[in-house]
Amino acid sequence: MPDYHDDLRLAHVLADAADAATMDRFKALDLKVETKPDMTPVSEADKTAEELIRSNLKRGRPRDAILGEEFGVEGTGPRRWVIDPIDGTKNYVRGVPVWATLIALMEAGEGGFQPVVGVVSAPALGRRWWAAKGAGAFTGRSLTSASRLKASKVSRLQDASFAYSSLSGWEEQGRLDGFMDLTRAVWRTRGYGDFWPYMMVAEGSIDICAEPELSLWDMAATAIIVTEAGGTFTGLDGAPGPHSGNAAASNGLLHDELLGYLNQRY
């Protein structure tokens, strides 16, 4: 199996640079925010962080392609870095500390590109999570100061904690009835949203989570962290990985039931 340690070290360096840039503008009174064509917000910090990551990658990995939320695709080849400079921009612009920079490396293989390295860095929370293919998933301050992540062993839905982002997307897709039935079947529900539920699935602090509409840059890093922690990450269609335009993540033991509820009347 290939060794991705150098790529993981680089991803941490990229995350360090992005953290400095995003924290510098977090809660700034003069932060500039625009509305993109899809009606989602983008701040100057989103653009600055992505530009910073791209410039570092061009120096450190000049032959690799880059896909970012703000500036699209650049380059071709069997290796592609996938970047969400600020996942949770709506939180960021309102001063809510639940946002993160997501950095993933994907490699071409059977079934298309698959994530092989992922880093999720949430500096306002003082948290970072990461994983590399075949090497496990970790959280901590640095590569040398970390603890291994393990998904939970909860095996009954009535004992499970379920996290979601919002209700509107499920309603728009005609999945709201199944979603509501799921919330009634589990022990606990919480609307954490964005990257955080996936990291909590990897940590074992919650058991299942799902979102009805996502982009590749929302999922590439979180997918490998969940799976390397022993969990399962698929689309709502059950296809493994971050390519379905939506996501369901679990400790693995509850995955079929999670998908069953979210697809039951769809």
Side-chain angles (χ1 to χ4, degrees), residues 113-258:
F113 281 86
Q114 297 299 331
V116 294
V117 167
V119 172
V120 173
S121 190
L125 294 176
R127 299 293 310 277
R128 185 177 290 186
W129 305 261
W130 62 89
K133 185 177 179 181
F138 297 85
T139 185
R141 294 288 182 179
S142 68
L143 282 166
T144 56
S145 176
S147 56
R148 190 154 190 162
L149 299 175
K150 291 288 185 184
S152 78
K153 299 297 184 185
V154 173
S155 60
R156 300 195 313 163
L157 204 59
Q158 59 263 46
D159 298 327
S161 182
F162 169 48
Y164 60 93
S165 54
S166 67
L167 298 180
S168 58
W170 301 104
E171 187 171 28
E172 289 163 8
Q173 290 193 7
R175 299 180 189 265
L176 186 60
D177 287 342
F179 173 89
M180 293 304 297
D181 286 347
L182 176 60
T183 67
R184 298 180 187 106
V186 298
W187 166 63
R188 192 169 189 251
T189 61
R190 284 293 183 270
Y192 297 110
D194 300 308
F195 69 93
W196 207 6
Y198 304 97
M199 298 303 93
M200 287 191 278
V201 167
E203 290 177 338
S205 52
I206 68 170
D207 312 298
I208 54 176
C209 67
E211 288 182 272
E213 186 174 1
L214 292 169
S215 299
L216 180 60
W217 48 75
D218 298 313
M219 297 183 280
T222 59
I224 187 167
I225 294 171
V226 168
T227 54
E228 285 293 325
T232 299
F233 190 106
T234 73
L236 296 176
D237 58 3
H243 295 289
S244 298
N246 45 47
S250 76
N251 62 6
L253 302 173
L254 300 168
H255 208 77
D256 288 345
E257 287 182 277
L258 170 62

Side-chain angles (χ1 to χ4, degrees), residues 41-62:
V42 57
S43 74
E44 62 183 85
D46 291 78
K47 295 178 179 179
T48 298
E50 185 168 323
E51 287 170 339
L52 197 58
I53 293 170
R54 283 175 179 268
S55 65
N56 280 307
L57 282 171
K58 286 172 186 175
R59 287 193 299 271
R61 296 291 187 274

